[in-house]
């Protein structure tokens, strides 16, 4: 029985208002004595607008503060946007982690692959399993998705049951693993579902996502009719797709050669966990050149145009073992994640320039998304008929569309929230009642930097207009000893009149120094500031850009 002042709250720290870095909190108890359940701890991938940054993590300040009140972290599945931040952030939390076998195995493989990664103990939970963490009674619901073992969570509390869908779609024939567990979801609907916290990724798309079995048919046909070599690229974690490709290759007696480290790691884990049972061992990449063109299929990483991945290097003719030739066929069994379109186009253009035939989902059913479209979202609402619906896992547009769809489907209480907001679900929810610290942290080399620091903004500015360094030695009588030291980085070598900007900067600095009154010339700070301004103004006059300028004055 709940006490009078107990509350059930939902507080997302990532993934609500953006795609990626999913981290959700559920809190139960009195306001000052809440116990927290964390769901997922993912990354977002940084784009070109964040120079030097590869990964973005949710800011976990609040979790660190509340560490003692966290009853555990449950991973819904092993996509990077759900578990990618764990090995980086877990040491600051050291909370118990729960996951199903494939997710746990992939996490272990990742830890082995990264030197210095922490040993994270994982409680392995069976598919469909039920377990208690503090005040939360958690039951897993199998969901079809684009990776094995995606789980929704039914979180039962004395104030009601919540369905946290995780990533899901409806697919009656998902190639591997169980289909979305409609019976369990309908049973939850009959039992009574207080709130549905649901995936909004494809809420802007009409209809239903194609099923994996239809994709398999199309891929098999394209592989069968390929005249010469054939290569397929897809997300390495899409084991169903790997299986489909391997089966199609076996039908036409092609050996599957795996190209790319991420693909190696996943296929190993998929074999350990049984998801590639009955599939012939894949061959190592050094065999590629020795097989006749119609007896080989290359399974490549790089479907998102990642510059260091196999397909990108092949497209630029820079791969040590693999090359394509005129008449070969490359199939993109994938779709570019928003933000990656340009990178993918660069790879496609490189391949076409080599005379390779490129097939994408623009013209063939070679890919199906792992997220629910509108009709699937309506089905879920009809099965579960929640009192409350909160859209998550999406950018503002996706959340708004999901909310609208839910209202039209008859859900009485729909609320769109954002990272950092605390929403009371019961009693009397949904209502935004508080805010907690939320934000983004960048992985910069081996360090973590707050998005609020100037680091990346500075880097962007340097990337735009370069930097000038001036060094000079100043005597106590206010004279420059010797010559100025000048370094220009990232600045054009000549101006429109053919002058060297180095000379322009030098003259500007000397003139600014001479223009100072005698007393001022003995003040190193005044000297530095006058030179800095003069150099920037002079370069701006010839270039229409103002570089960063550092002046170092050495008093001798
Ligand atoms: Zn996913
Ligand atoms: Zn996701």
């Amino acid at each position: 029985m709940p006490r009078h002042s107990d509350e059930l709250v939902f507080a997302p720290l990532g993934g609500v208002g953006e795609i990626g870095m999913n981290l959700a909190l559920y809190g139960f108890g009195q306001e000052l004595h809440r116990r927290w359940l964390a769901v997922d701890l993912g990354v977002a991938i940084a784009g070109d607008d964040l120079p030097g940054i590869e990964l973005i993590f949710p800011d976990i300040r609040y979790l660190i503060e509340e560490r003692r009140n966290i009853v555990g972290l449950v991973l819904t599945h092993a996509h990077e946007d759900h578990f990618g931040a764990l090995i980086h952030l877990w040491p600051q939390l050291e909370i118990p982690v729960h996951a199903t076998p494939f997710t746990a195995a992939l996490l272990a493989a990742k830890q082995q692959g990264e030197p210095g990664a922490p040993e994270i103990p994982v409680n392995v939970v069976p598919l469909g399993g039920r377990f208690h963490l503090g005040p939360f009674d958690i039951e897993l619901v199998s969901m079809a998705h684009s990776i094995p073992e995606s789980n929704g969570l039914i979180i039962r509390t004395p104030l009601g049951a919540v369905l946290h869908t995780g990533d899901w779609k409806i697919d009656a024939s998902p190639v591997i693993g169980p289909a979305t567990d409609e019976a369990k979801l309908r049973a939850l609907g009959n039992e009574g579902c207080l709130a549905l916290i649901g995936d909004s990724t494809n809420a802007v798309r009409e209809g239903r996502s194609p099923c994996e079995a239809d994709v398999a048919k199309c891929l098999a046909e394209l592989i069968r009719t390929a005249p010469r070599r054939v290569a397929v690229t897809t997300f390495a974690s899409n084991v169903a797709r790997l299986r489909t490709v391997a089966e199609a290759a076996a039908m036409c007696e092609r050996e599957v050669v795996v190209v790319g480290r991420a693909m190696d790691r996943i296929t190993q884990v998929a074999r350990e966990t049984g998801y590639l049972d009955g599939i012939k061992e894949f061959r190592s990449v050094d065999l590629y050149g020795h097989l006749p063109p119609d007896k080989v299929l290359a399974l490549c990483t790089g479907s998102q145009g990642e510059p260091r991945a196999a397909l990108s290097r092949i497209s630029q003719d820079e791969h040590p073992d693999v090359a394509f030739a005129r008449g070969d066929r490359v199939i993109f069994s994938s779709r570019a994640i928003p933000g990656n379109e340009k990178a993918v186009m660069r790879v496609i253009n490189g391949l076409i320039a080599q005379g390779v035939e490129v097939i994408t989902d623009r013209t063939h059913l070679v890919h199906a998304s792992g997220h629910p479209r509108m009709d699937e979202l309506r089905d879920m609402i009809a099965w579960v008929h929640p009192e409350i619906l909160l859209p998550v896992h999406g950018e503002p547009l996706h959340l708004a569309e999901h909310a609208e769809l839910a209202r039209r489907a008859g859900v009485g209480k729909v609320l769109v929230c954002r990272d950092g907001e605390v929403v009371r679900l019961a009693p009397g929810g949904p209502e935004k009642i508080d805010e907690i610290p939320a934000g983004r942290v960048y992985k910069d080399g081996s360090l973590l930097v707050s998005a609020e620091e100037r680091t990346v903004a500075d880097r962007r500015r340097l990337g735009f207009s370069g930097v000038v360094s001036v060094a000079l030695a100043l005597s106590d009588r206010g004279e420059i000893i010797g010559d100025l030291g000048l370094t220009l980085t990232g600045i054009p070598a000549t101006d429109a009149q053919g002058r060297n900007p180095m000379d322009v900067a030098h003259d500007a600095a000397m003139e600014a120094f001479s223009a100072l009154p005698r007393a001022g010339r003995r003040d190193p700070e005044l000297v530095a500031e006058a030179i800095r301004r003069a150099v920037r103004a002079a370069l701006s006059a010839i270039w229409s850009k103002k570089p960063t300028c550092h002046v170092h004055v050495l008093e001798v």
Side-chain angles (χ1 to χ4, degrees):
M1 281 296 286
R3 282 166 300 184
H4 176 64
S5 50
D6 280 344
E7 289 178 325
L8 171 62
V9 300
F10 169 69
L13 285 174
V16 185
E18 72 240 308
I19 300 257
M21 58 175 236
N22 293 286
L23 168 55
L25 294 182
Y26 291 91
F28 187 87
Q30 293 164 312
E31 190 186 340
L32 299 173
H33 302 281
R34 282 189 191 121
R35 308 193 69 198
W36 297 101
L37 166 70
V39 181
D40 291 333
L41 190 51
V43 297
I45 307 294
D48 295 342
D49 56 328
L50 298 176
I53 305 297
E54 252 177 86
L55 296 177
I56 306 171
F57 303 143
D59 185 336
I60 57 163
R61 254 177 302 168
Y62 187 73
L63 283 189
I64 294 168
E65 238 171 69
E66 287 286 306
R67 197 170 55 176
R68 275 179 202 83
N69 301 318
I70 303 172
V71 296
L73 168 72
V74 181
L75 299 175
T76 59
H77 64 295
H79 271 152
E80 286 295 312
D81 62 321
H82 295 260
F83 95 144
L86 189 66
I87 62 172
H88 304 278
L89 301 181
W90 186 82
Q92 298 178 63
L93 297 169
E94 298 195 332
I95 51 179
V97 176
H98 305 263
T100 55
F102 180 80
T103 304
L106 205 51
L107 181 65
K110 228 178 125 176
Q111 281 169 267
Q112 276 172 12
E114 296 214 11
E119 281 278 326
I120 304 173
V122 176
N123 302 296
V124 179
V125 187
L127 287 182
R130 189 164 175 173
F131 52 103
H132 285 80
L133 295 175
F136 305 98
D137 167 2
I138 299 157
E139 183 175 6
L140 303 185
V141 189
S142 290
M143 298 285 189
H145 186 43
S146 44
I147 190 170
E149 300 184 7
S150 193
N151 300 286
L153 310 179
I154 298 172
I155 304 167
R156 294 182 175 89
T157 74
L159 285 170
V162 174
L163 173 65
H164 180 100
T165 66
D167 291 4
W168 66 283
K169 67 182 284 192
I170 294 175
D171 189 336
S173 48
V175 176
I176 55 171
T180 295
D181 194 342
E182 180 180 340
K184 195 179 265 190
L185 292 165
R186 283 183 184 276
L188 172 66
N190 294 334
E191 167 191 329
C193 176
L194 171 69
L196 188 160
I197 316 290
D199 179 355
S200 310
T201 317
N202 275 347
V204 294
R205 301 183 73 183
E206 299 273 359
R208 293 177 181 279
S209 15
C211 66
E212 202 56 40
D214 288 342
V215 173
K217 268 184 227 146
C218 181
L219 276 174
E221 188 58 18
L222 287 167
I223 290 167
R224 192 182 64 78
T225 57
R228 285 176 43 90
R229 290 193 181 93
V230 60
V232 180
T233 184
T234 187
F235 269 119
S237 57
N238 196 332
V239 179
R241 203 66 57 76
L242 304 186
R243 191 175 178 102
T244 289
V245 170
E247 281 171 352
M251 298 262 280
C252 34
E253 291 167 357
R254 286 178 185 263
E255 297 277 356
V256 176
V257 169
V258 174
V259 195
R261 266 199 319 160
M263 203 69 93
D264 274 331
R265 181 198 289 166
I266 302 262
T267 51
Q268 211 178 330
V269 170
R271 288 207 184 272
E272 282 165 24
T273 44
Y275 287 107
L276 288 175
D277 281 358
I279 299 289
K280 194 178 160 197
E281 283 292 330
F282 297 155
R283 310 301 293 260
S284 92
V285 67
D286 29 290
L287 204 69
Y288 175 84
H290 303 289
L291 291 163
D294 63 342
K295 289 284 166 271
V296 62
L297 181 149
L299 200 48
C300 303
T301 56
S303 67
Q304 295 301 312
E306 306 93 321
R308 282 172 306 199
L311 195 60
S312 176
R313 294 168 67 193
I314 299 168
S315 76
Q316 309 304 317
D317 220 352
E318 285 166 3
H319 197 281
D321 303 302
V322 177
F324 297 148
R326 185 162 297 281
D328 289 346
R329 176 176 284 178
V330 174
I331 304 168
F332 278 74
S333 185
S334 58
R335 164 168 294 192
I337 293 172
N340 294 346
E341 295 91 345
K342 269 194 201 160
V344 173
M345 270 318 287
R346 201 176 47 101
V347 174
I348 291 178
N349 285 330
L351 293 170
I352 288 182
Q354 294 174 1
V356 170
E357 178 195 16
V358 175
I359 292 174
T360 69
D361 74 336
R362 209 164 49 84
T363 52
H364 291 77
L365 182 54
V366 288
H367 177 64
S369 158
H371 298 277
R373 296 193 190 176
M374 289 176 168
D375 286 348
E376 293 159 87
L377 292 171
R378 287 187 195 103
D379 281 354
M380 179 63 84
I381 290 169
W383 296 342
V384 176
H385 40 88
E387 269 175 55
I388 298 170
L389 186 142
L390 268 55
V392 296
H393 203 288
E395 294 173 3
L397 171 70
H398 310 115
L399 304 178
E401 293 275 322
H402 191 186
E404 184 56 25
L405 176 144
R407 282 187 203 105
R408 289 186 185 201
V411 180
K413 301 170 183 169
V414 178
L415 181 78
V416 175
C417 62
R418 287 286 186 280
D419 293 342
E421 290 180 330
V422 180
V423 178
R424 183 173 64 225
L425 299 173
E431 190 189 346
K432 292 178 189 177
I433 54 167
D434 201 359
E435 282 192 27
I436 56 178
R440 318 176 124 213
V441 171
Y442 301 143
K443 179 152 192 281
D444 186 18
S446 57
L447 300 179
L448 300 182
V449 298
S450 162
E452 286 144 40
E453 275 177 41
R454 288 184 41 193
T455 320
V456 176
D458 280 353
R459 209 172 283 168
R460 226 183 268 133
R461 203 154 40 83
L462 295 178
F464 177 72
S465 56
V467 59
V468 181
S469 294
V470 184
L472 59 96
L474 194 66
S475 76
D476 54 3
R477 304 211 321 258
E479 290 161 339
I480 292 179
I481 300 170
D483 206 356
L484 296 181
L486 257 179
T487 316
L488 278 63
T489 308
I491 292 169
T494 47
D495 76 355
Q497 269 72 48
R499 279 174 303 176
N500 186 339
M502 177 89 94
D503 298 337
V504 173
H506 184 273
D507 294 352
M510 291 311 289
E511 273 166 36
F513 181 75
S514 311
L516 283 171
R518 257 188 179 289
R521 283 182 231 158
R522 281 199 289 267
D523 179 340
E525 275 177 36
L526 258 179
V527 169
E529 184 57 16
I531 290 178
R532 196 183 68 85
R533 282 166 181 271
V535 167
R536 296 185 81 212
L539 289 173
S540 171
I542 60 166
W543 187 30
S544 307
K545 280 181 159 193
K546 278 190 177 175
T548 298
C549 180
H550 302 297
V551 183
H552 304 280
V553 178
L554 191 68
E555 293 172 82
V556 290

